[in-house]
Coordinates of all heavy atoms in Angstrom, one line a residue:
E1 N 85.2 134.9 101.1 CA 85.2 133.6 100.3 C 86.3 132.6 100.9 O 86.0 131.4 101.1 CB 85.5 133.9 98.9 CG 85.5 132.7 98.0 CD 85.9 133.0 96.5 OE1 85.8 134.2 96.2 OE2 86.2 132.1 95.8
L2 N 87.5 133.2 101.2 CA 88.6 132.3 101.7 C 88.2 131.7 103.1 O 88.3 130.5 103.3 CB 89.8 133.2 101.9 CG 90.7 133.4 100.7 CD1 91.8 134.5 101.0 CD2 91.4 132.1 100.3
I3 N 87.7 132.5 104.0 CA 87.4 132.0 105.3 C 86.2 131.1 105.3 O 86.1 130.1 106.0 CB 87.2 133.1 106.3 CG1 88.5 134.0 106.4 CG2 86.9 132.6 107.7 CD1 89.7 133.3 106.7
S4 N 85.2 131.4 104.5 CA 84.0 130.5 104.3 C 84.4 129.2 103.8 O 83.9 128.1 104.3 CB 83.0 131.2 103.4 OG 82.5 132.4 103.9
S5 N 85.4 129.1 102.8 CA 85.8 127.9 102.3 C 86.6 127.1 103.3 O 86.6 125.8 103.4 CB 86.7 128.1 101.0 OG 87.9 128.7 101.3
A6 N 87.3 127.8 104.2 CA 88.0 127.1 105.3 C 87.1 126.5 106.3 O 87.4 125.4 106.8 CB 88.9 128.1 106.1
I7 N 85.9 127.1 106.6 CA 84.9 126.5 107.4 C 84.4 125.3 106.8 O 84.2 124.2 107.4 CB 83.8 127.5 107.7 CG1 84.3 128.7 108.6 CG2 82.6 126.8 108.4 CD1 83.3 129.8 108.8
G8 N 84.2 125.3 105.5 CA 83.7 124.1 104.7 C 84.7 123.0 104.8 O 84.4 121.8 104.9
D9 N 86.0 123.4 104.7 CA 87.1 122.4 104.8 C 87.1 121.7 106.1 O 87.3 120.5 106.3 CB 88.4 123.0 104.5 CG 88.6 123.4 103.1 OD1 87.9 122.9 102.2 OD2 89.4 124.3 102.8
L10 N 86.9 122.5 107.2 CA 86.9 122.0 108.6 C 85.7 120.9 108.7 O 85.9 119.8 109.3 CB 86.7 123.1 109.6 CG 87.9 123.8 110.0 CD1 87.5 125.1 110.8 CD2 88.8 122.9 110.9
V11 N 84.6 121.3 108.2 CA 83.4 120.4 108.3 C 83.7 119.1 107.6 O 83.5 118.0 108.1 CB 82.1 121.0 107.7 CG1 81.0 120.0 107.7 CG2 81.7 122.2 108.6
Q12 N 84.3 119.2 106.4 CA 84.6 118.0 105.6 C 85.7 117.2 106.2 O 85.6 116.0 106.2 CB 85.1 118.5 104.2 CG 85.2 117.3 103.2 CD 85.7 117.8 101.8 OE1 85.6 119.0 101.5 NE2 86.2 116.9 101.0
G13 N 86.7 117.8 106.8 CA 87.8 117.1 107.5 C 87.3 116.3 108.7 O 87.7 115.2 108.9
I14 N 86.4 116.9 109.5 CA 85.9 116.2 110.7 C 85.0 115.1 110.3 O 85.1 114.0 110.8 CB 85.1 117.2 111.6 CG1 86.1 118.3 112.2 CG2 84.4 116.5 112.7 CD1 85.5 119.4 112.9
Y15 N 84.2 115.3 109.2 CA 83.4 114.2 108.7 C 84.3 113.1 108.2 O 84.0 111.9 108.4 CB 82.5 114.7 107.6 CG 81.6 113.6 106.9 CD1 80.5 113.2 107.5 CD2 82.0 113.0 105.7 CE1 79.7 112.2 106.9 CE2 81.3 112.0 105.1 CZ 80.1 111.6 105.7 OH 79.4 110.6 105.2
Y16 N 85.3 113.4 107.5 CA 86.3 112.4 107.0 C 86.9 111.6 108.1 O 87.1 110.4 108.0 CB 87.3 113.2 106.1 CG 88.3 112.3 105.4 CD1 87.8 111.4 104.4 CD2 89.7 112.4 105.5 CE1 88.7 110.6 103.7 CE2 90.6 111.7 104.8 CZ 90.1 110.8 103.9 OH 90.9 110.0 103.1
E17 N 87.3 112.3 109.2 CA 88.0 111.7 110.3 C 87.0 110.6 110.9 O 87.4 109.5 111.3 CB 88.3 112.7 111.4 CG 89.6 113.4 111.2 CD 89.9 114.4 112.4 OE1 89.0 114.5 113.3 OE2 90.9 115.0 112.3
N18 N 85.8 111.0 111.1 CA 84.8 110.2 111.8 C 84.3 109.0 111.0 O 83.7 108.1 111.5 CB 83.6 111.0 112.3 CG 84.0 112.0 113.4 OD1 85.0 111.8 114.1 ND2 83.3 113.1 113.5
S19 N 84.4 109.1 109.6 CA 83.9 108.1 108.8 C 84.9 107.1 108.4 O 84.5 106.0 107.8 CB 83.3 108.7 107.5 OG 84.3 109.4 106.8
K20 N 86.2 107.3 108.7 CA 87.2 106.3 108.3 C 87.2 105.1 109.2 O 87.0 105.2 110.4 CB 88.6 107.0 108.4 CG 88.8 108.0 107.2 CD 90.3 108.2 107.1 CE 91.0 108.5 108.4 NZ 92.5 108.6 108.2
S21 N 87.5 104.0 108.7 CA 87.7 102.7 109.5 C 89.1 102.7 110.0 O 90.0 103.5 109.6 CB 87.5 101.5 108.6 OG 88.5 101.4 107.6
S22 N 89.4 101.9 111.0 CA 90.7 101.8 111.7 C 91.8 101.4 110.7 O 92.9 101.8 110.8 CB 90.6 100.9 112.9 OG 90.2 99.6 112.5
E23 N 91.4 100.5 109.7 CA 92.4 100.1 108.7 C 92.9 101.2 107.9 O 94.0 101.3 107.6 CB 91.7 99.0 107.8 CG 91.4 97.7 108.5 CD 90.2 97.7 109.3 OE1 89.4 98.6 109.1 OE2 90.0 96.8 110.1
E24 N 91.9 102.1 107.5 CA 92.3 103.2 106.7 C 93.2 104.3 107.4 O 93.8 105.1 106.8 CB 91.1 104.0 106.1 CG 90.3 103.2 105.1 CD 89.1 103.9 104.7 OE1 88.3 104.4 105.6 OE2 88.8 104.0 103.5
N25 N 93.2 104.2 108.7 CA 93.9 105.1 109.6 C 95.4 104.8 109.6 O 96.2 105.5 110.1 CB 93.3 105.1 111.0 CG 93.6 106.5 111.6 OD1 93.7 107.5 111.0 ND2 93.6 106.5 113.0
C26 N 95.8 103.6 109.1 CA 97.2 103.2 109.2 C 98.0 103.7 108.0 O 97.6 103.6 106.9 CB 97.3 101.6 109.2 SG 96.5 100.8 110.5
L27 N 99.2 104.3 108.3 CA 100.0 104.9 107.3 C 101.0 103.8 106.9 O 102.1 103.7 107.5 CB 100.7 106.1 107.8 CG 99.8 107.3 108.2 CD1 100.6 108.5 108.7 CD2 98.9 107.7 107.0
T28 N 100.7 103.0 105.9 CA 101.6 101.9 105.5 C 102.3 102.1 104.2 O 103.3 101.5 103.9 CB 100.7 100.6 105.4 OG1 99.7 100.8 104.4 CG2 100.2 100.2 106.7
D29 N 101.8 103.1 103.4 CA 102.5 103.3 102.1 C 102.3 104.8 101.7 O 101.7 105.6 102.5 CB 102.0 102.4 101.0 CG 100.4 102.4 101.0 OD1 99.9 103.5 101.3 OD2 99.9 101.4 100.6
D30 N 102.7 105.1 100.5 CA 102.6 106.5 100.1 C 101.2 107.0 99.9 O 100.8 108.1 100.1 CB 103.4 106.7 98.8 CG 103.5 108.2 98.4 OD1 103.9 108.9 99.2 OD2 103.2 108.5 97.2
I31 N 100.3 106.0 99.5 CA 98.9 106.3 99.4 C 98.3 106.7 100.7 O 97.6 107.7 100.9 CB 98.1 105.2 98.7 CG1 98.6 104.9 97.3 CG2 96.6 105.4 98.7 CD1 98.1 103.7 96.6
G32 N 98.7 105.9 101.7 CA 98.2 106.2 103.1 C 98.7 107.6 103.5 O 97.9 108.4 104.2
M33 N 99.9 108.0 103.2 CA 100.5 109.3 103.6 C 99.7 110.4 102.9 O 99.4 111.4 103.4 CB 101.9 109.4 103.3 CG 102.6 110.7 103.6 SD 102.4 111.1 105.4 CE 103.6 109.9 106.1
S34 N 99.4 110.2 101.6 CA 98.6 111.2 100.8 C 97.2 111.4 101.5 O 96.8 112.5 101.6 CB 98.4 110.7 99.4 OG 99.7 110.5 98.7
R35 N 96.6 110.3 101.9 CA 95.3 110.4 102.5 C 95.4 111.2 103.8 O 94.6 112.1 104.2 CB 94.7 109.1 102.8 CG 94.1 108.4 101.6 CD 93.6 107.0 102.0 NE 93.1 106.3 100.8 CZ 92.8 105.0 100.8 NH1 93.0 104.3 101.9 NH2 92.3 104.4 99.7
W36 N 96.5 110.9 104.6 CA 96.7 111.6 105.9 C 96.9 113.1 105.6 O 96.3 113.9 106.3 CB 98.0 111.0 106.6 CG 98.3 111.7 107.9 CD1 97.7 111.4 109.1 CD2 99.1 112.8 108.1 NE1 98.2 112.2 110.1 CE2 99.1 113.1 109.5 CE3 100.0 113.5 107.3 CZ2 99.8 114.1 110.0 CZ3 100.7 114.5 107.8 CH2 100.7 114.8 109.2
K37 N 97.7 113.4 104.7 CA 98.0 114.9 104.4 C 96.7 115.6 103.9 O 96.5 116.7 104.3 CB 99.0 115.0 103.3 CG 100.5 114.7 103.8 CD 101.4 114.4 102.6 CE 101.8 115.7 101.9 NZ 102.9 115.4 100.9
E38 N 95.9 114.9 103.1 CA 94.6 115.5 102.7 C 93.7 115.7 103.9 O 93.1 116.8 104.0 CB 93.9 114.5 101.7 CG 92.6 115.1 101.2 CD 91.8 114.0 100.4 OE1 92.4 112.9 100.1 OE2 90.7 114.4 99.9
Q39 N 93.6 114.7 104.8 CA 92.7 114.8 105.9 C 93.2 115.9 106.9 O 92.4 116.7 107.4 CB 92.7 113.5 106.7 CG 91.8 113.6 107.9 CD 92.1 112.5 108.9 OE1 92.3 111.3 108.5 NE2 92.2 112.8 110.2
V40 N 94.5 116.0 107.2 CA 95.1 117.0 108.1 C 94.9 118.4 107.5 O 94.6 119.3 108.2 CB 96.5 116.6 108.4 CG1 97.2 117.8 109.2 CG2 96.6 115.4 109.2

């Protein structure tokens, strides 16, 4: 269950990376940092 969920997280993370616009990629405030930590 743990490793299967990790595979699911990887898929979601890569999808998240590829779907973000360049503006959302900028870490300008705490919200931006939260998004970065979630994605990473």
Side-chain angles (χ1 to χ4, degrees):
E1 182 182 345
L2 277 169
I3 304 303
S4 298
S5 67
I7 293 173
D9 290 337
L10 275 168
V11 173
Q12 188 179 344
I14 292 169
Y15 177 81
Y16 187 58
E17 277 183 359
N18 294 335
S19 63
K20 286 200 314 176
S21 65
S22 57
E23 290 80 14
E24 288 178 314
N25 207 24
C26 299
L27 300 179
T28 55
D29 52 30
D30 189 52
I31 296 174
M33 181 59 74
S34 298
R35 285 178 181 167
W36 179 86
K37 286 164 73 174
E38 179 188 358
Q39 179 202 314
V40 170

